[in-house]
Amino acid sequence: MDNHLLEITPTELVFLPPYNKQLTNVLRLRNLSENAITFKLKTTAPKKYAVKPMFDYILPKETKKVHVTLYAQKDNPTSDTSDSFQILCFPIEGHISQPFDLKSLWDGTVQTHLSRYKIRSRFSQNPSQESEHNMDMFASTFSSDQTEDLMTSTTNSEIATPSANLRRERDDLKNKILEEQRRSSSLTADLRRSKEFKLFCAAELRFNQVVIAAVFFMLGLLFHILVARLSS
């Protein structure tokens, strides 16, 4: 079979520490042919990786992203540790209609009619030494046409400059301060109303006490007057 159906970048999957959390690399598969092709990705360590999508199709001259996720590792892999990935593909005959049953297509494919590509994973122990390598791999991922398409198709909301991020954080902080001020004002008003209500209740209680005392005084005075008249 033709082994020039796909262009695969990067040529190896480099995973950087820490390895105690999930790490994801992205493979970009570009269809170099004039026909649609379908691919499937396999690995020698299926319990260590999640691949999404595991199989799919690519239209002519288009690119498909495949996310390869390394599960969190209990033990750090050494620099000698390496896993293999194999990408199988073949051209699709006829027109692709939706929904397209890829599973049945692969079930009926003869293995000898497949094109095969192999890449490997690598585990770095020194991330600083990988920075230049990663920049080169990232730059090689895009052609000049792809870079121009990316710049023209990405909206301003998708590209956040540092100054825009700072303005957004400043506005968020300002909104939080205003919200706290409103809450504080509301709480102060509630406390003030509560104090005024307590003062009103205390004043009313003292007034009632004075009235009751006056009533008892008048009753006592009338009692003494009544006793004096009866005695005379």
Side-chain angles (χ1 to χ4, degrees):
M1 288 291 291
D2 183 10
N3 286 325
H4 299 285
L5 296 177
L6 282 177
E7 178 184 70
I8 303 172
T9 52
T11 55
E12 66 176 356
L13 296 173
V14 180
F15 292 94
L16 305 178
Y19 296 111
N20 59 352
K21 63 178 183 179
Q22 287 191 357
L23 303 172
T24 299
N25 266 316
V26 178
L27 282 174
R28 291 173 174 82
L29 310 182
R30 180 171 173 79
N31 181 2
L32 301 177
S33 71
E34 301 297 331
N35 300 309
I37 64 173
T38 179
F39 71 88
K40 178 187 289 187
L41 194 146
K42 295 182 176 181
T43 176
T44 56
K47 293 184 178 180
K48 287 175 60 176
Y49 300 94
V51 179
K52 185 177 181 180
M54 187 172 294
F55 59 88
D56 206 342
Y57 68 87
I58 313 175
L59 297 177
K61 307 302 180 182
E62 292 192 356
T63 300
K64 183 76 67 173
K65 292 181 181 180
V66 179
H67 293 80
V68 180
T69 299
L70 173 70
Y71 294 126
Q73 303 295 297
K74 293 182 179 179
D75 300 319
N76 286 339
T78 65
S79 56
D80 297 330
T81 305
S82 179
D83 299 310
S84 296
F85 295 84
Q86 186 180 53
I87 301 172
L88 311 175
C89 65
F90 64 89
I92 300 176
E93 298 180 359
H95 177 69
I96 297 178
S97 58
Q98 298 295 338
F100 190 62
D101 191 357
L102 283 173
K103 187 177 185 304
S104 298
L105 184 64
W106 275 99
D107 290 342
T109 301
V110 180
Q111 294 294 314
T112 55
H113 294 167
L114 300 175
S115 296
R116 291 174 168 82
Y117 302 83
K118 289 185 178 181
I119 60 173
R120 301 187 69 83
S121 64
R122 182 162 62 85
F123 301 90
S124 173
Q125 304 304 315
N126 191 347
S128 62
Q129 294 180 354
E130 297 292 336
S131 58
E132 184 175 353
H133 169 78
N134 290 340
M135 290 299 294
D136 292 340
M137 295 304 298
F138 179 79
S140 65
T141 300
F142 298 98
S143 66
S144 58
D145 293 338
Q146 288 173 312
T147 304
E148 183 177 358
D149 292 341
L150 178 64
M151 295 301 295
T152 55
S153 63
T154 306
T155 62
N156 291 333
S157 62
E158 294 172 329
I159 301 178
T161 62
S163 59
N165 288 334
L166 289 175
R167 286 195 298 271
R168 187 181 301 109
E169 292 177 1
R170 180 197 63 190
D171 293 340
D172 291 343
L173 181 59
K174 184 186 296 183
N175 292 334
K176 289 181 180 179
I177 292 174
L178 292 174
E179 181 64 25
E180 289 299 325
Q181 288 177 341
R182 285 193 291 268
R183 291 179 57 188
S184 177
S185 299
S186 176
L187 181 60
T188 301
D190 291 340
L191 289 175
R192 185 179 295 111
R193 285 193 293 269
S194 177
K195 288 182 179 179
E196 291 174 353
F197 179 73
K198 289 180 179 179
L199 290 174
F200 172 78
C201 290
E204 185 177 15
L205 178 62
R206 286 196 295 270
F207 176 76
N208 291 336
Q209 290 174 343
V210 171
V211 171
I212 292 173
V215 169
F216 276 104
F217 175 77
M218 293 300 295
L219 290 175
L221 182 59
L222 291 174
F223 177 76
H224 285 295
I225 294 173
L226 181 60
V227 170
R229 288 184 176 180
L230 290 174
S231 299
S232 60

